[in-house]
Amino acid sequence: MAASCVALAALSLCLPLLLLVAWKRWRRGRAARHVAVVVLGDVGRSPRMQYHALSLAKRGFSVTLLGFCNSKPREELLQSDRIQIVGLTELQRLTVGPHILQYGVKVVFQAVHLLWRLMCREPAAYIFLQNPPGLPAIAVCWFVGCLCGSKLVIDWHNYGYSIMGLVHGPSHPLVLLAKWYEKLCGRLSHLNLCVTNAMREDLAGNWGIKAVTVYDKPASFFKETPLDLQHQLFMKLGRTYSVFRARPGPLDPATERSAFTEQDPRSGTVMHLHGRPALLVSSTSWTEFEQLILDGESLPSLVCVITGKGPLKEHYSRLLSQKRFRHIQVCTPWLEAEDYPLLLGSADLGVCLHKSSSGLDLPMKVVDMFGCCLPVCAVNFPCLHELVKHEENGLVFEDSEELAVQLQMLLSEFPDPAGKLSQFRVNLRESERLRWDESWKQTVLPLLMDT
């Protein structure tokens, strides 16, 4: 009797799922132009997956973009009638029990929740999945693909286990389990995309996975910012952040001036201020550069804008506030999504401290900077040469001392148009760099058509 009750209960649970699967397979023929794009992270901070969604929509696909909705995505996504954003619930970390139990509960919840969200949507011809994070998303998306006839496309940005290894160490049981899972489930996809040739070779040689390199490319809105728009941005930011405001001094009341630009009240023409500071977009402090100026070097003052956010931002902001710089101002602004490309297009130099946990991915920040023809100083790691060409579009450094030397060299005659910094910018302008959508059309779209 008990066995009969158990069987009946199991049947009652499975029957709705079986009916849903049958209904989805019946509808699949109507969904050949529908794609699900899955990010088990913040959609607003996942530009590459946003770009996938926009390119798919531009080619006539209807797109369901699933992910956490912690920050605002690009306005183009919100306005597109072919893209629907479906929020996933983010389970906050439990505060009781051992760490492995907390992690296990989170994984189970995410698996069930993602499965339910995918099964309740229109069946998709393809499921595009960002990895990392791939646990438990790879297995869930593969399972849904089996039930509904969808083809799984994994976009490898990095290895999830290597990121976990930064926290727990490479030999931790959780890290080893994640690596086994990633290697096993990664082979279940129909198509694999990756961000560098180094990652493609590693996937093939060590994981037995054949992938196609799809380099990150800047979207069309990353470009040099015209002077009038620079002025508008500086005046806007100056209402909140003092580093963008004009220095005190005798001014024509009719002249509108920022720390970098001024607008002629009669003609409306915007010009760079004589003796303006250099504007750097970065994520570091500038103690060595300050000392060079104090030692008498002919260098401009600096306004350093630290972008992005993270768990240590407040900590480093407090440390910077304790510094008594005389020639360097540091600002950590909150930027609207539409203002970030304008800021990059207005800057004089970018500095990138990104170091890959696997040594196989490239910094998206530098891709965006190059889209704005902004020269870069970047810290070295194994595959950086696929993006930054030393002495051509920027400089590569190993430590803070070498960075200080590079800054001294690049800014010693700022803003001389014949200087090396200006030459890097000219090289970036002259290089024929495909934008994301053009590159996607050439590399990804043919793969979808072939399958």
Side-chain angles (χ1 to χ4, degrees):
M1 182 67 180
S4 300
C5 291
V6 171
L8 186 60
L11 181 61
S12 64
L13 290 173
C14 292
L15 187 58
L17 180 60
L18 292 173
L19 290 174
L20 183 60
V21 170
W23 174 69
K24 278 182 168 290
R25 283 196 172 276
W26 174 75
R27 290 187 61 196
R28 187 176 182 276
R30 300 163 55 193
R33 302 293 290 179
H34 176 234
V35 178
V37 179
V38 179
V39 183
L40 208 58
D42 185 5
V43 170
R45 298 182 67 190
S46 304
R48 184 174 167 103
M49 302 313 285
Q50 293 185 61
Y51 298 165
H52 275 306
L54 287 168
S55 293
L56 286 161
K58 188 174 180 179
R59 301 306 180 286
F61 292 91
S62 63
V63 180
T64 300
L65 178 55
L66 299 96
F68 304 145
C69 298
N70 299 331
S71 55
K72 184 182 176 182
R74 293 293 310 176
E75 192 65 31
E76 295 94 322
L77 265 80
L78 301 176
Q79 297 299 325
S80 175
D81 57 0
R82 290 185 174 274
I83 300 175
Q84 179 187 16
I85 299 177
V86 176
L88 297 177
T89 301
E90 186 174 8
L91 181 66
Q92 299 302 317
R93 183 174 176 178
L94 302 177
T95 57
V96 296
H99 179 74
I100 193 167
L101 175 63
Q102 296 175 18
Y103 188 73
V105 170
K106 180 179 180 180
V107 168
V108 171
F109 172 82
Q110 288 180 333
V112 174
H113 181 59
L114 179 59
L115 175 63
W116 176 251
R117 283 293 200 183
L118 285 170
M119 292 300 293
C120 288
R121 309 248 67 87
E122 179 184 7
Y126 298 94
I127 300 175
F128 272 65
L129 172 64
Q130 172 183 301
N131 181 65
L135 181 64
I138 299 177
V140 172
C141 291
W142 169 79
F143 181 64
V144 171
C146 291
L147 295 178
C148 303
S150 307
K151 294 178 179 179
L152 176 59
V153 180
I154 300 179
D155 192 6
W156 297 82
H157 297 195
N158 201 345
Y159 294 145
Y161 80 88
S162 70
I163 298 175
M164 292 179 64
L166 296 177
V167 178
H168 303 291
S171 59
H172 191 280
L174 275 178
V175 177
L176 297 177
L177 177 63
K179 182 177 182 179
W180 170 84
Y181 163 87
E182 208 166 5
K183 188 173 183 178
L184 175 69
C185 294
R187 297 169 178 168
L188 302 175
S189 58
H190 288 79
L191 288 172
N192 291 277
L193 312 176
C194 63
V195 294
T196 63
N197 286 333
M199 178 170 282
R200 183 195 67 200
E201 293 167 5
D202 190 77
L203 283 168
N206 297 323
W207 295 48
I209 294 174
K210 183 180 179 180
V212 176
T213 302
V214 181
Y215 282 117
D216 283 320
K217 299 290 184 181
S220 58
F221 45 79
F222 283 100
K223 55 189 176 182
E224 290 186 85
T225 305
L227 261 178
D228 58 335
L229 293 183
Q230 289 187 35
H231 182 71
Q232 292 176 23
L233 175 67
F234 296 147
M235 297 302 296
K236 174 183 176 181
L237 294 176
R239 291 193 287 269
T240 306
Y241 306 103
S242 61
V243 300
F244 294 97
R245 298 174 196 156
R247 297 172 182 172
L251 293 175
D252 180 349
T255 300
E256 189 177 69
R257 181 176 292 177
S258 72
F260 308 91
T261 55
E262 64 178 355
Q263 186 174 38
D264 186 278
R266 291 174 291 277
S267 66
T269 303
V270 176
M271 298 170 290
H272 276 129
L273 281 177
H274 177 72
R276 67 183 175 91
L279 177 58
L280 286 86
V281 180
S282 173
S283 56
T284 185
S285 63
W286 301 98
T287 304
E288 294 90 345
F289 192 87
E290 170 81 6
Q291 190 59 50
L292 287 170
I293 299 178
L294 294 176
D295 290 343
E297 295 287 345
S298 177
L299 295 168
S301 296
L302 288 183
V303 171
C304 177
V305 178
I306 300 177
T307 60
K309 62 181 181 179
L312 295 177
K313 180 176 180 178
E314 291 186 6
H315 169 71
Y316 287 113
S317 295
R318 285 195 298 270
L319 291 180
L320 287 168
S321 66
Q322 297 169 9
K323 301 288 185 181
R324 294 294 181 264
F325 293 138
R326 292 168 51 192
H327 302 278
I328 298 170
Q329 295 175 282
V330 180
C331 180
T332 57
W334 180 88
L335 293 172
E336 296 177 5
E338 286 71 25
D339 286 341
Y340 179 64
L342 294 177
L343 178 66
L344 293 188
S346 306
D348 299 299
L349 179 63
V351 174
C352 178
L353 298 181
H354 171 92
K355 276 194 171 183
S356 170
S357 60
S358 64
L360 299 172
D361 72 307
L362 293 170
M364 188 74 179
K365 183 188 295 275
V366 174
V367 174
D368 296 337
M369 290 176 177
F370 283 172
C372 296
C373 296
L374 178 62
V376 170
C377 292
V379 67
N380 194 25
F381 65 90
C383 68
L384 184 65
H385 66 276
E386 294 190 38
L387 178 62
V388 180
K389 312 300 182 185
H390 188 65
E391 294 283 355
E392 181 179 327
N393 54 19
L395 298 173
V396 177
F397 61 90
E398 299 290 344
D399 51 39
S400 60
E401 288 78 13
E402 187 174 6
L403 172 60
V405 171
Q406 292 178 356
L407 291 176
Q408 179 184 6
M409 181 266 292
L410 291 174
L411 298 174
S412 60
E413 297 180 351
F414 177 83
D416 183 4
K420 187 175 284 289
L421 185 61
S422 297
Q423 186 57 53
F424 288 162
R425 190 180 290 271
V426 170
N427 293 344
L428 285 166
R429 288 172 183 156
E430 292 177 349
S431 63
E432 296 184 8
R433 303 185 65 86
L434 287 177
R435 296 292 168 160
W436 168 267
D437 192 64
E438 298 165 332
S439 174
W440 191 93
K441 181 181 177 181
Q442 294 180 15
T443 54
V444 180
L445 185 61
L447 299 175
L448 303 184
M449 297 299 100
D450 288 344
T451 58

